[in-house]
Amino acid sequence: DVKGPLSREACDKMDYTYATLKETLRLYSVVPAVTRNAVQRSTLGGYNIPIGTTVIICIQGVHLNPTVWTDPTKFSPERFLPEGEAHKVHPYAFLSFIQGPRNCLGQHLALLEARVVLGALAKRFTFKPVRENANRKHPTMVPIGPDGGLEMTVE
């Protein structure tokens, strides 16, 4: 809950909002998979990867992996708070912005903008989903979105 003007400093204190954004991206990745081409021979999980091989990384497969995340289908922003499990798993277990040298350059700006917008909206309005099953994912839409849209009552 932000009191006063919505400044950069105020956004930096929005720990739970930040954790909620990251947990939302873990459960509902914008892009379900990415590809990379092997530029050198490698081994992955005991398999040889020759040069030129296209490797497909299923982001949802990583984000919902029960060997990585506790109760992976449960919405739990607490896992991204400073004491949460997200800080104890491998850095490549959260791939919403990819990791490594080809990660999203705008990820910090995107998460800052989201906190600004959510902070401003939450200060003025209350939102309630119209439908009970509003959190159901569309089965084929890319980027991933809600099945049947997301109608809200705004008060």
Side-chain angles (χ1 to χ4, degrees):
D1 187 30
V2 176
K3 308 274 191 266
L6 199 55
S7 64
R8 172 61 196 248
E9 292 74 25
C11 287
D12 288 342
K13 294 177 183 172
M14 295 171 72
D15 293 338
Y16 199 81
T17 302
Y18 186 71
T20 300
L21 288 166
K22 290 187 92 170
E23 178 67 348
T24 300
L25 289 168
R26 187 188 67 80
L27 283 176
Y28 305 99
S29 297
V30 176
V31 179
V34 293
T35 60
R36 296 291 185 260
N37 292 318
V39 295
Q40 64 185 32
R41 285 190 54 183
S42 188
T43 303
L44 182 63
Y47 293 93
N48 289 322
I49 310 294
I51 293 173
T53 301
T54 299
V55 178
I56 301 171
I57 299 112
C58 178
I59 294 173
Q60 284 298 144
V62 174
H63 286 177
L64 299 177
N65 186 337
T67 65
V68 176
W69 300 99
T70 305
D71 202 2
T73 59
K74 180 183 177 189
F75 181 75
S76 179
E78 292 78 12
R79 70 177 91 231
F80 285 97
L81 290 175
E83 66 280 357
E85 74 174 303
H87 302 284
K88 299 171 187 141
V89 299
H90 192 281
Y92 283 55
F94 179 70
L95 297 170
S96 290
F97 294 101
I98 309 302
Q99 293 290 351
R102 293 185 64 192
N103 70 351
C104 175
L105 296 176
Q107 66 182 301
H108 300 292
L109 177 61
L111 290 169
L112 176 61
E113 286 178 328
R115 281 178 281 172
V116 168
V117 170
L118 287 173
L121 291 172
K123 286 176 89 164
R124 293 187 62 195
F125 304 105
T126 301
F127 296 87
K128 295 178 186 161
V130 171
R131 293 181 289 124
E132 286 289 320
N133 61 352
N135 65 340
R136 190 175 62 218
K137 290 186 236 179
H138 191 282
T140 59
M141 186 186 297
V142 176
I144 294 171
D147 192 17
L150 185 59
E151 297 173 4
M152 303 291 281
T153 300
V154 182
E155 298 174 352

